[in-house]
Amino acid sequence: MPLKWRWVLIIVVTAVASYLCFPLQEKIKLGLDLKGGIHLVMRVKTDDAVKASTDLDVETLRSELAKRGVTPQKLESAGVGEILVQGVDSAKATDFRDLVSSQFSAYSMDSRGGGDFRLEMKPARVREIRESSLRQALETIRNRVDKFGVSEPVIQQVGFAGGGDERILVQLPGIQNTERVKELIGSPAYLEWKLVSIPPGHRVEDFRNLAPASRESLLSQFGGALPADTELYPAERQQVGEQLYWPCKKASPITGNDLRDARRDVGRLGDAVVQFRLTADAGQRFEDLTRANEGQLLAILLDKKVISAPRINAVIRDSGVIEGSFTVESAEDLAIKLRSGALPAGMELLEERTVGPSLGSDSIRQGIVASIMGSVLVVIFMLVYYRLSGLNAIIALGLNVLLLLGAMGYFHATLTLPGIAGVALTIGMAVDANVLIFERIREELRLGKTVKAAVASGFTKAFSTIVDSHVTTLIAALFLFGYGTGPVRGFAVTLCIGIIANLYTNIFVSHALFDTYLSSRRVDHLSI
C-alpha cells in the first residue's frame, strides 16, 4: 500500500478510536472490584423443576387413565423423575401400557408384576428440563434486577447446564443492601389463589376467626382426615414456637402466570398493599370463581405460604389487591417479583461477597499509579537504549493504548482489576515486539546494509516471530474468555483486544513511521 494511503488509514483509525473512548467515564464501565457492590454465586435447584414436571405428569396420567376407565389403587410421584403406579387391574394393564408408550414417551416403564409399575423419566428429558429451568431462572433474575434499577449488572451461567449443579453468577455494581437483593432475586415468588376448605359443621365467619390453626387442630375439625381435594398450607406468620396452617383446595384456579401487571399501592387504612391486574382470560375465570363462591374464603399463597385469606364479598373480574403485613419496601419487592415472573426452581446461595466502594477507589488509584509508573519506565528505557528510534516505539505504544480503550468503549466492555492487568500485559507485549524489530534492524545494519534496506529487512524477518507469539497468546486468551468467569473473562477481553491492537501498531504504524522518516531525507546513519 502506498505510504500516503497508509497514513490516511492510520488517521481514520485513530480518529474513530478517539471518538469511541471519550469521555472514558461514559464509554467504559467499571467492574464490581472497582466500583463496589455485591457478588453472588447461586445454585439453581433444578431438581425442583424436574419434580414439578413429574407432579404435572402424574395429574395428566390420572386424568387420561380415568377417561379409559383405569383406576389404579395408588398413583403418585415417587421422587425426582419417578412415578409409582400400584394396583392396576390385570384386564386394564394393556390399556395402561398403550397409554404410557403413546403419550408418556419421556418415561421408561418397568413392570413389577401384580399390576404395579414404575415410570422413570429418561435422562434426555431430565437434562432438557434442567437446561430450560436454568434459562428461565437467568431471564427471571435479569428481569428482576432490571426492575430493581441496577446499572450494568453481570448475570450469567457458571459451568455447564444439565448436570444437576447449575449455577448462576450475579454481580451488581454499586449495591450494598445484600439482604434485600438476596430476597429479591432468590425467592421463587410463585403466586396462587386457592379456595379455603371449610370443615363440616362450621360457618365461614366462625372458621375465619379460628384459622389459621395448628395441624392437629385442623385435622380434628375435619374428623381426623382431610378431604382428598384439600391440603394444609403453612401460614406466613407463625405463633411463638408453632407453625400454623390453612386448609386449602389443591387446585389453583389462578396463578402468578395469569398476571398482567402488579404495583405497590396504599390500602384503605394507609398500609402497603400490592395491586394486581389479570389477563383477559384469567379475568373471566376469576369472575366465574368469585361469583360461584361469593361469601367463601379465598387464600392468596406466595411460595406455598398463605399470606392472607380474605372473604369474597363481591364478584371480582380482572383486578384486586393483595393484603398482608407488608412494609413499603417489601410490597415494592413483591410487585417487582410478580411482574418479572416466578423462578422455575428454588435457589441456594453458595458464595457471597460484598466489595465496598472505598476498596474500589483504592484499586483504581493503585492501578493507575502502577500503569503510569510502568509506562514511564518503559519510555525511559526505550529512549536510553534505542535513542531516537525509541520515539517510534513510544508513539506506537500510545496509539496502541488508544485503540484498546476505543475497542472497549465500542463493545461496552467492563474494566476490572484483572482487566487492568491485561492492559499492563498488552503494553509489555507491545514493547517486546518493538524490541524484536529494533534488534533485527541493528543486525542488518551491522551486516553493512543501508538504513532503508535494514529497516525493510528488519520488519520482514521479525514479522513471523511477532505474529506467532501474538497468535499463540490470543488462542490462550480466547480459551480464558470461553471457559472463564467474572474477573478471568475481564482479563481475557482486554488481552484479546490488546493483542490485535499490538499487531496493527507494531507492524503497520511503526513501519509507516520509519518509512516516512526515511522518505523525507537521505539517511546514512540511524539513531538506534
Side-chain angles (χ1 to χ4, degrees):
M1 181 185 293
L3 183 60
K4 179 179 69 173
W5 291 111
R6 278 191 280 169
W7 275 109
V8 170
L9 179 60
I10 292 170
I11 292 171
V12 170
V13 170
T14 304
V16 171
S18 301
Y19 172 77
L20 291 174
C21 71
F22 290 106
L24 286 174
Q25 295 87 344
E26 297 179 7
K27 296 298 182 65
I28 299 179
K29 304 171 290 184
L30 296 181
L32 187 71
D33 49 2
L34 298 179
K35 191 174 182 180
I38 299 173
H39 168 101
L40 302 172
V41 177
M42 312 184 81
R43 183 174 72 86
V44 184
K45 298 179 180 179
T46 52
D47 282 352
D48 293 352
V50 178
K51 189 175 185 308
S53 179
T54 306
D55 291 342
L56 181 62
D57 289 339
V58 166
E59 296 304 316
T60 305
L61 178 59
R62 180 179 285 112
S63 174
E64 291 298 322
L65 287 175
K67 292 178 183 178
R68 289 164 173 76
V70 181
T71 308
Q73 296 176 1
K74 189 175 184 180
L75 173 58
E76 63 181 10
S77 171
V80 178
E82 295 183 7
I83 299 176
L84 184 63
V85 185
Q86 294 179 341
V88 177
D89 190 341
S90 58
K92 298 287 187 179
T94 301
D95 293 339
F96 175 81
R97 291 190 180 92
D98 291 343
L99 173 64
V100 172
S101 59
S102 62
Q103 296 189 30
F104 295 86
S105 57
Y107 289 84
S108 57
M109 181 170 52
D110 177 28
S111 177
R112 298 186 170 184
D116 294 349
F117 298 88
R118 177 177 170 272
L119 307 182
E120 184 176 3
M121 192 177 291
K122 295 178 180 177
R125 175 57 178 163
V126 173
R127 181 180 178 85
E128 180 185 344
I129 293 173
R130 293 189 190 279
E131 291 177 347
S132 175
S133 63
L134 176 62
R135 288 194 299 270
Q136 186 180 342
L138 279 167
E139 187 63 28
T140 301
I141 291 175
R142 189 172 290 112
N143 289 338
R144 292 183 182 182
V145 169
D146 289 344
K147 290 177 174 62
F148 189 65
V150 180
S151 60
E152 311 301 349
V154 175
I155 303 167
Q156 62 188 34
Q157 174 188 336
V158 180
F160 298 97
D165 190 29
E166 290 77 11
R167 302 185 181 191
I168 292 176
L169 169 68
V170 180
Q171 292 184 339
L172 308 178
I175 300 297
Q176 300 298 322
N177 191 343
T178 309
E179 293 305 319
R180 186 183 180 195
V181 168
K182 287 193 295 185
E183 171 62 24
L184 179 69
I185 68 176
S187 62
Y190 187 67
L191 191 68
E192 299 170 278
W193 280 262
K194 294 177 180 287
L195 286 168
V196 175
S197 294
I198 307 299
H202 287 71
R203 295 188 307 167
V204 172
E205 287 302 323
D206 293 338
F207 179 71
R208 189 179 184 188
N209 295 328
L210 296 174
S214 65
R215 182 185 295 271
E216 293 76 15
S217 174
L218 287 172
L219 287 175
S220 66
Q221 294 180 55
F222 280 97
L226 294 173
D229 63 347
T230 300
E231 189 172 341
L232 296 182
Y233 293 90
E236 187 179 43
R237 288 180 290 177
Q238 302 181 24
Q239 281 186 346
V240 178
E242 185 178 20
Q243 176 67 63
L244 303 181
Y245 295 87
W246 284 89
C248 301
K249 302 289 187 182
K250 292 181 179 179
S252 301
I254 305 294
T255 70
N257 295 328
D258 296 315
L259 288 178
R260 185 171 62 187
D261 192 19
R263 302 285 173 184
R264 175 177 59 81
D265 204 350
V266 179
R268 292 167 296 178
L269 302 178
D271 53 335
V273 299
V274 177
Q275 185 181 53
F276 66 88
R277 292 179 63 84
L278 300 172
T279 61
D281 177 64
Q284 183 61 54
R285 282 187 279 122
F286 203 45
E287 181 180 3
D288 296 340
L289 174 71
T290 53
R291 177 179 288 112
N293 296 278
E294 191 168 350
Q296 297 297 312
L297 301 182
L298 183 64
I300 302 173
L301 291 82
L302 181 66
D303 297 335
K304 301 299 182 181
K305 289 186 177 181
V306 179
I307 58 176
S308 64
R311 184 175 182 270
I312 302 174
N313 294 319
V315 176
I316 306 171
R317 182 169 173 80
D318 61 352
S319 64
V321 295
I322 302 172
E323 297 177 329
S325 301
F326 297 126
T327 63
V328 172
E329 188 176 88
S330 64
E332 181 64 34
D333 288 349
L334 176 57
I336 289 173
K337 288 186 280 190
L338 295 179
R339 289 199 303 272
S340 59
L343 287 171
M347 306 288 288
E348 178 185 359
L349 182 63
L350 300 179
E351 181 183 345
E352 173 187 345
R353 292 202 309 268
T354 301
V355 181
S358 60
L359 175 61
S361 301
D362 291 341
S363 299
I364 294 173
R365 184 170 58 254
Q366 292 172 5
I368 292 175
V369 169
S371 298
I372 292 175
M373 290 180 62
S375 299
V376 169
L377 290 175
V378 167
V379 168
I380 293 173
F381 170 78
M382 296 302 288
L383 289 176
V384 170
Y385 194 73
Y386 291 110
R387 291 173 281 187
L388 290 180
S389 293
L391 286 174
N392 183 309
I394 294 168
I395 293 172
L397 184 61
L399 181 57
N400 182 70
V401 174
L402 179 64
L403 293 176
L404 174 60
L405 294 176
M408 291 182 68
Y410 175 76
F411 291 111
H412 299 288
T414 300
L415 183 63
T416 61
L417 273 178
I420 294 177
V423 174
L425 179 58
T426 297
I427 293 173
M429 292 186 65
V431 173
D432 180 61
N434 282 123
V435 170
L436 285 173
I437 294 171
F438 290 174
E439 289 301 321
R440 281 290 188 178
I441 293 174
R442 278 181 168 181
E443 288 180 7
E444 298 301 318
L445 289 173
R446 283 195 289 267
L447 292 175
K449 289 187 178 181
T450 63
V451 172
K452 200 167 187 177
V455 169
S457 181
F459 274 95
T460 301
K461 291 183 177 180
F463 177 81
S464 61
T465 303
I466 293 172
V467 171
D468 286 347
S469 64
H470 281 64
V471 168
T472 52
T473 307
L474 180 62
I475 291 172
L478 290 174
F479 273 98
L480 286 176
F481 180 81
Y483 294 99
T485 59
V488 176
R489 297 188 70 167
F491 173 79
V493 167
T494 53
L495 187 57
C496 287
I497 297 173
I499 288 171
I500 297 172
N502 277 349
L503 289 173
Y504 169 74
T505 56
N506 289 325
I507 296 174
F508 192 81
V509 177
S510 183
H511 201 170
L513 288 170
F514 271 119
D515 287 349
T516 301
Y517 174 72
L518 296 175
S519 64
S520 61
R521 60 183 62 81
R522 177 181 175 83
V523 179
D524 297 322
H525 175 74
L526 185 64
S527 178
I528 195 171

